Amino acid sequence: MTDVLTVRDLRAGYDGGTVLDGVDLTVPEGGVVALLGRNGAGKTTLVHTVMGLLKPYSGSIRVGDRDLAGAAPHTVARSGVAIVPQGRRVFAPLTVEENLRLAAGRDRAGRAWTVRRVYELMPRLAERRGHRGDQLSGGEQQMLAIGRALLRNPRLLLLDEPSDGLAPAVVDDVAVLLEGLRGEGIAALLVEQDLHLAFRLAGEVAVMRKGQIVHRAPTSEFRADRARAHALLGVG
Ligand SMILES: Nc1ncnc2c1ncn2[C@@H]1O[C@H](COP(=O)(O)OP(=O)(O)OP(=O)(O)O)[C@@H](O)[C@H]1O
Ligand SMILES: [Mg+2]
């Protein structure tokens, strides 16, 4: 299987300080890899560096056959990478419809995702299309953030804690939604603290500690090894 994302010996941080300390990570074409790790491990920093929001000190980031280390976010986006940021970050003063239209850009023929298709996938958003971003529930904002990312027609989605701050029933809605995307051939790097959600969606897990990937395993193997999960994540 070929990889859609290949990160090698990636170093990055803030103001000269090191957060990512030699990250090696791959995501297979169409596959979902859960990125686990304690608070402050560097997960969001990795997602931002892949997206071009933070320039790496060194190392390589390949998406397909393009080397994107240090590339600007719009260049990374054009290579087929879309981000669902931690904390969702929808545009509060804009309506659902405006948020989606902005993400869709000018409608181009032959694109897999359209605003209409996002509404079909998430009828809830269609009902709320005239509501402003700041009038949505947390779950609705998360759906809007996912819808916006899909409208970029990505081959790789970077999902940074999609369950963060959501009630369990709403996390389930998001899980059903993301499961429904499996057949679409979109690969995902899924940062998640909710292990149930991570295990449900991901074929493999990667564990980050202090800016390095310290463990990688198929999900089935990882979830069977409770002692290791506890040692790496501090949870049972
Ligand atoms: N903008 C920033 N400026 C300076 N330091 C930062 C900045 N963002 C994050 N850091 C630091 O980088 C380290 C890694 O943070 P990061 O947000 O990548 O962790 P994380 O694994 O995503 O954590 P969480 O699970 O809490 O979201 C932390 O020590 C954090 O304080
Ligand atoms: Mg984070």
Side-chain angles (χ1 to χ4, degrees):
M1 197 165 10
T2 54
D3 293 318
V4 63
L5 176 69
T6 308
V7 172
R8 288 289 171 238
D9 200 18
L10 190 66
R11 289 166 203 279
Y14 308 92
D15 305 318
T18 297
V19 174
L20 303 184
D21 195 11
V23 171
D24 289 303
L25 183 67
T26 56
V27 175
E29 201 90 58
V32 179
V33 175
L35 180 61
L36 310 177
R38 299 181 193 202
N39 294 118
K43 305 178 298 295
T44 296
T45 301
L46 175 60
V47 163
H48 284 182
T49 307
V50 169
M51 195 66 221
L53 298 166
L54 184 67
K55 293 229 182 297
Y57 301 144
S58 62
S60 72
I61 301 169
R62 293 187 80 79
V63 173
D65 54 9
R66 301 191 65 178
D67 197 341
L68 292 172
H74 62 89
T75 304
V76 178
R78 240 187 279 122
S79 302
V81 185
I83 185 172
V84 178
Q86 188 165 14
R88 300 179 277 277
R89 309 239 168 89
V90 299
F91 294 116
L94 300 188
T95 64
V96 167
E97 177 91 13
E98 288 164 344
N99 263 284
L100 292 176
R101 294 267 162 226
L102 196 65
R106 228 175 297 139
D107 266 341
R108 263 180 271 155
R111 294 186 136 216
W113 287 95
T114 59
V115 173
R116 177 201 289 247
R117 199 168 162 220
V118 168
Y119 283 147
E120 280 166 9
L121 183 73
M122 298 179 263
R124 185 85 187 185
L125 287 184
E127 290 165 21
R128 295 281 186 276
R129 71 174 78 198
H131 289 233
R132 289 202 323 259
D134 58 3
Q135 297 172 322
L136 302 176
S137 71
E140 290 163 351
Q141 285 186 30
Q142 189 57 268
M143 302 230 169
L144 179 54
I146 293 169
R148 274 196 331 199
L150 290 174
L151 285 166
R152 312 279 187 191
N153 287 281
R155 56 204 289 218
L156 173 66
L157 264 183
L158 306 173
L159 292 152
D160 198 351
E161 301 207 29
S163 77
D164 196 15
L166 302 183
V170 183
V171 173
D172 194 61
D173 290 346
V174 171
V176 169
L177 172 65
L178 294 175
E179 276 175 333
L181 292 175
R182 268 206 197 120
E184 297 289 333
I186 304 172
L189 181 62
L190 170 69
V191 176
E192 197 38 81
Q193 305 262 7
D194 181 332
L195 288 188
H196 291 290
L197 181 61
F199 292 165
R200 185 167 160 185
L201 295 171
E204 295 174 88
V205 303
V207 181
M208 179 174 263
R209 185 151 84 180
K210 293 181 183 161
Q212 297 180 335
I213 302 297
V214 294
H215 186 64
R216 167 99 187 217
T219 299
S220 53
E221 197 177 287
F222 187 78
R223 70 191 301 178
D225 192 349
R226 281 162 169 269
R228 190 190 287 272
H230 190 267
L232 288 168
L233 301 169
V235 293

